[in-house]
Amino acid sequence: MREPRTFPGTATTPVARPAPLRQAVYDVLIELIVGGVLQPGQHLIEAELAVNLGVSRQPVREALLRLQSDGWVELRPAQGAFVHSPTVEEAAQLLSVRAVLETHAAHGAAQYATGADIARLWELQAAGIAALSADDARGIVEANAALHGFITELARNPILAELIRQVDRRVRWYYMPIARPRGKDAWNEHAEIIDRIAVGDADRAEALMHQHTRTTTDFYCRQLSAVPRARA
Amino acid sequence: MREPRTFPGTATTPVARPAPLRQAVYDVLIELIVGGVLQPGQHLIEAELAVNLGVSRQPVREALLRLQSDGWVELRPAQGAFVHSPTVEEAAQLLSVRAVLETHAAHGAAQYATGADIARLWELQAAGIAALSADDARGIVEANAALHGFITELARNPILAELIRQVDRRVRWYYMPIARPRGKDAWNEHAEIIDRIAVGDADRAEALMHQHTRTTTDFYCRQLSAVPRARA
DNA sequence: CAGACTCAGATTGCATACAGAAGCCTATAT
DNA sequence: ATATAGGCTTCTGTATGCAATCTGAGTCTG
């Protein structure tokens, strides 16, 4: 067998290539931004970051470049990187974009979900209900993300999934400090959506997801106007 | 006046900063990929590109990094950059994502468009009709892009606009070699959409755009299945 | 003759070095 | 006292150098 065949069943990642440093730096910097260590508007000095992270400027530069593509920092020519300062308008825009993307994902999920997928959806739903009963705020947020993320996967559209992932991360960054989860209503809506996905009713699943994300958006926007400049 | 004020009316770009080389390299490489000089799957050697473009490896590296973020090349660790090989599935996914994003843009446009905006929309529409009458294929494509692009602008959502821009560029790359414009029907649909935007009927504008993009998607997908592996 | 091993060339990833631009502080003139 | 001009420091942008790694050809062995 000389010819390099791909084995049908085995989805082997190519044996864990040596992860580039830029990736590690990228991850750490996002952690620092999300965690508030690096504050919005702050000037990120390459050399300083390099020393703190124990690498040279090169991987830091490459990480900053990607952070710019993903909307985390702004790169002003000849001035360097500044942590992006999210605005209220931008938060609303991110929410609305995420809403339409997830609505579309629900449509696709209803088309492609298998029996096993449905079972998994109900598991995730149950986990969310459990966290809700236990009043476990962190658990609720995680369960919600897991459920929405799995629905996204079910749409069998990696392009869509990647966009949602990017948008969602930025939304969560902005709302993490102020947002509280929505509560029981959201999970009732989830149940309805799963119901429609289960029977392959794509249009109805889409409509319900549209309603759900819209309600969530409004819910967050109200909190937003209540705390207008929480992170100046 | 010591304090640095931003002037309300003037949307001045900050006086043309020295454009970094990486930007120029990035633009040139996209040209080369779109133009077919660099073919899908081809291994891009940093040093080679650097020599050809008359710069060092550094700007080339940075450009390649951004090209990866935007889906133009794949960067395999320790192996370098390879021009992305688009698949039929991916093309369909890009089309469907672009459709939902533009549908959302139409909704926003209907909410925010001013009288002047409407006038501009009809101008762009007229330009498209003119190109159609003149049987100017290139002109039709450009007019179509201009009209859709302006509708996107009208949604007053830069996040959405940026996503559409990225997705649209990749779609156009894939379809440029095989696609023919749709013809008269598309422009009739445009007219209806503009009508609804003009009167601020967001829901109807959204529905019409949904229909329009869906038809366009189907139209392209048919051409796609007719030329399955045009660019292997 | 097939297959595994070795070694050399090539290429990436990271580090360092250098030049130019931007911002800041100070000194000076009005 | 305020505004301005000039020099200085800092940081980015670009170039180059070096080590590790991957690929492929050639060779050796069963």
Side-chain angles (χ1 to χ4, degrees):
Chain A
M1 298 280 185
R2 303 299 305 279
E3 132 185 4
R5 298 184 43 174
T6 59
F7 306 117
T10 58
T12 51
T13 31
V15 201
R17 295 272 177 185
L21 266 188
R22 55 168 177 259
Q23 181 63 37
V25 173
Y26 174 84
D27 292 336
V28 170
L29 287 180
I30 286 191
E31 287 294 319
L32 292 175
I33 292 175
V34 170
V37 178
L38 304 176
Q39 297 225 337
Q42 182 174 342
H43 184 191
L44 301 180
I45 291 127
E46 294 175 2
E48 191 177 313
L49 295 174
V51 171
N52 287 348
L53 300 177
V55 298
S56 79
R57 273 180 58 207
Q58 177 81 5
V60 173
R61 273 185 76 81
E62 297 181 352
L64 288 175
L65 231 50
R66 197 172 145 208
L67 286 170
Q68 178 189 38
S69 289
D70 294 353
W72 293 97
V73 307
E74 292 160 27
L75 236 48
R76 304 182 212 166
Q79 292 190 36
F82 296 79
V83 179
H84 178 69
S85 295
T87 65
V88 175
E89 295 76 28
E90 189 183 331
Q93 291 162 10
L94 282 167
L95 279 170
S96 82
V97 169
R98 186 180 67 165
V100 293
L101 291 176
E102 292 209 347
T103 298
H104 188 55
H107 184 91
Q111 289 182 301
Y112 300 121
T114 68
D117 294 332
I118 305 300
R120 178 84 185 119
L121 282 172
W122 285 119
E123 279 177 34
L124 293 169
Q125 168 77 0
I129 298 291
L132 196 66
S133 304
D135 209 30
D136 170 13
R138 183 181 179 79
I140 294 172
V141 171
E142 279 177 12
N144 186 65
L147 180 58
H148 279 267
F150 190 62
I151 292 175
T152 296
E153 265 185 58
L154 293 183
R156 306 270 187 270
N157 186 333
I159 303 271
L160 177 66
E162 175 60 22
L163 287 181
I164 291 178
R165 207 181 57 81
Q166 282 184 24
V167 171
D168 186 53
R169 191 158 50 171
R170 288 175 66 184
V171 168
R172 298 238 294 276
W173 170 42
Y174 196 83
Y175 284 99
M176 192 168 304
I178 62 169
R180 289 161 322 180
R182 264 181 63 205
K184 186 73 180 147
D185 286 350
W187 293 91
N188 289 337
E189 291 160 21
H190 286 167
E192 291 187 66
I193 293 168
I194 297 175
D195 261 335
R196 302 330 296 173
I197 292 177
V199 298
D201 185 351
D203 289 337
R204 190 82 191 111
E206 180 178 347
L208 286 170
M209 181 62 94
H210 181 76
Q211 189 60 43
H212 173 63
T213 53
R214 180 171 192 80
T215 307
T216 301
T217 297
D218 290 347
F219 179 78
Y220 280 148
C221 281
R222 266 200 302 282
Q223 296 189 38
L224 202 61
S225 51
V227 191
R229 299 302 322 135
R231 29 194 319 147
Chain B
M1 294 285 182
R2 303 297 305 279
E3 129 186 6
R5 298 184 42 175
T6 59
F7 307 115
T10 57
T12 51
T13 30
V15 201
R17 295 273 177 182
L21 268 187
R22 57 168 176 261
Q23 182 63 38
V25 174
Y26 174 85
D27 292 336
V28 170
L29 287 181
I30 285 191
E31 287 295 319
L32 292 176
I33 293 175
V34 170
V37 179
L38 303 176
Q39 297 224 337
Q42 183 172 341
H43 185 191
L44 301 180
I45 291 123
E46 294 175 2
E48 192 178 313
L49 295 174
V51 172
N52 288 348
L53 300 177
V55 298
S56 78
R57 275 179 58 206
Q58 177 81 5
V60 174
R61 273 183 76 79
E62 297 182 351
L64 287 175
L65 229 50
R66 196 171 145 209
L67 286 170
Q68 179 188 37
S69 290
D70 294 353
W72 293 98
V73 307
E74 292 161 26
L75 271 166
R76 305 183 212 166
Q79 290 190 28
F82 296 79
V83 179
H84 178 68
S85 295
T87 64
V88 175
E89 295 75 29
E90 189 183 331
Q93 291 162 9
L94 282 167
L95 279 170
S96 82
V97 170
R98 186 180 68 165
V100 293
L101 291 176
E102 292 209 347
T103 298
H104 187 55
H107 185 91
Q111 290 182 301
Y112 301 122
T114 68
D117 293 332
I118 306 299
R120 179 83 184 120
L121 282 173
W122 284 120
E123 279 177 34
L124 294 169
Q125 168 78 1
I129 298 290
L132 196 65
S133 305
D135 210 30
D136 171 13
R138 182 180 179 80
I140 295 172
V141 172
E142 279 178 11
N144 186 64
L147 180 57
H148 278 267
F150 190 63
I151 292 175
T152 297
E153 265 186 56
L154 293 183
R156 306 270 188 270
N157 185 332
I159 302 270
L160 176 65
E162 174 60 21
L163 287 181
I164 291 178
R165 208 181 56 81
Q166 282 185 25
V167 171
D168 186 54
R169 191 157 50 170
R170 289 175 66 183
V171 168
R172 298 239 293 277
W173 171 43
Y174 195 83
Y175 283 99
M176 193 167 301
I178 62 168
R180 289 161 322 181
R182 263 181 63 204
K184 186 71 179 150
D185 285 350
W187 293 91
N188 289 336
E189 292 161 20
H190 286 168
E192 291 187 66
I193 292 168
I194 298 175
D195 261 335
R196 303 329 297 172
I197 292 177
V199 299
D201 184 351
D203 288 337
R204 189 84 191 109
E206 180 178 349
L208 285 170
M209 180 64 93
H210 181 76
Q211 189 61 43
H212 173 63
T213 52
R214 180 171 192 82
T215 308
T216 301
T217 297
D218 289 347
F219 180 77
Y220 280 147
C221 281
R222 267 199 302 281
Q223 296 189 38
L224 202 61
S225 51
V227 192
R229 298 303 320 136
R231 29 195 320 148

